[in-house]
Amino acid sequence: MKITKRNIAILFLSLVMICAVTFSLRFTKYIGITALKIVAPVFINLLNGIIALIAMKLTDMKIEIDLKNKHQYLIGIAIALGLSVVIAVIPALCGFSLIGNNVDFSWFVFIYELLVCLLIIGPVEEFVFRVYLQDTFVSFFKKNKWLGIVIASFLFGLWHIINGGIIQVLFTFGIGLVFGFAKYKIKNCGYVGVAFGHGLYDFFNTLVRMFIV
């Protein structure tokens, strides 16, 4: 993306809108209708993706999605397993949790989390932070492109303070760095690979909360 006043304004406005939309997740707990309470987070996540997509269209950014590259799925699985073991499994076995409280097992929760993590959370969050924001900041630092990855990862971590805490900010910043550098440095690991890995990582964490925490 070219550094122009218009594009900077679009970037700033899109960030504000994404934060505002994410903040609205706080109010879903007040929804009395169960079906709406389940659908609302999905809609909110999709809305963030739409904001990023519109911003990319307005700034003439290219969107490259390669679903046929099989290697990126294996890379995504490897990253998801590694992150889950370090962040979820080992702490849980040591008697504390970095990923939240225990969740009672039910097939509904199992299937819902699987579908939402793989089809919504992973793809949307990676599209927003690793495609739109990371590619934008990388284009700003042509001589030190790694700075773009760090900034996008920092924003990814900071974004989680809206509905989380400082600990979550710190380890999601680390997670952002892992997915950011994976997309930028690992051959055959594009958007689809990190989106799949991200969704799988979140689902693995749900399993850890069900069976270990």
Side-chain angles (χ1 to χ4, degrees):
M1 183 172 77
K2 295 181 180 180
I3 304 177
T4 65
K5 290 182 179 180
R6 177 178 178 274
N7 288 349
I8 294 295
I10 291 171
L11 173 62
F12 177 77
L13 181 60
S14 64
L15 283 171
V16 171
M17 292 175 67
I18 288 168
C19 288
V21 168
T22 303
F23 184 78
S24 69
L25 277 170
R26 287 175 175 264
F27 303 103
T28 58
K29 61 184 178 182
Y30 300 113
I31 298 175
I33 303 173
T34 303
L36 288 178
K37 198 169 186 176
I38 293 171
V39 172
V42 173
F43 173 77
I44 289 170
N45 273 284
L46 287 173
L47 188 54
N48 278 336
I50 292 170
I51 292 169
L53 179 61
I54 293 173
M56 292 184 72
K57 290 290 186 180
L58 290 174
T59 54
D60 297 321
M61 293 180 67
K62 293 182 179 179
I63 302 172
E64 298 179 358
I65 299 177
D66 180 11
L67 296 172
K68 297 180 179 180
N69 181 0
K70 297 178 181 178
H71 296 287
Q72 64 186 336
Y73 297 103
L74 296 175
I75 294 169
I77 292 172
I79 294 174
L81 283 171
L83 287 174
S84 187
V85 168
V86 172
I87 295 174
V89 176
I90 293 177
L93 293 175
C94 292
F96 63 96
S97 174
L98 294 174
I99 57 171
N101 299 322
N102 174 262
V103 174
D104 292 331
F105 173 82
S106 74
W107 282 110
F108 173 78
V109 173
F110 181 92
I111 295 172
Y112 174 81
E113 288 292 329
L114 175 64
L115 294 177
V116 170
C117 287
L118 290 179
L119 300 179
I120 305 296
I121 296 177
V124 170
E125 291 189 8
E126 289 305 304
F127 184 77
V128 171
F129 288 95
R130 245 60 66 188
V131 175
Y132 172 46
L133 292 178
Q134 179 169 300
D135 287 357
T136 294
F137 287 115
V138 165
S139 70
F140 287 175
F141 301 97
K142 294 183 178 179
K143 293 183 178 180
N144 297 292
K145 294 184 177 181
W146 61 272
L147 281 173
I149 300 172
V150 173
I151 292 172
S153 300
F154 175 73
L155 290 175
F156 178 62
L158 195 61
W159 177 67
H160 281 80
I161 204 170
I162 297 173
N163 294 308
I166 190 64
I167 294 178
Q168 191 174 10
V169 169
L170 292 174
F171 72 74
T172 49
F173 169 55
I175 291 169
L177 288 175
V178 171
F179 284 120
F181 279 103
K183 176 179 177 291
Y184 186 67
K185 289 291 187 180
I186 299 178
K187 186 179 178 181
N188 295 318
C189 185
Y191 159 65
V192 175
V194 292
F196 180 66
H198 186 150
L200 201 58
Y201 162 74
D202 284 351
F203 177 64
F204 285 162
N205 285 355
T206 297
L207 296 182
V208 173
R209 292 171 66 195
M210 283 181 174
F211 301 111
I212 301 179
V213 172

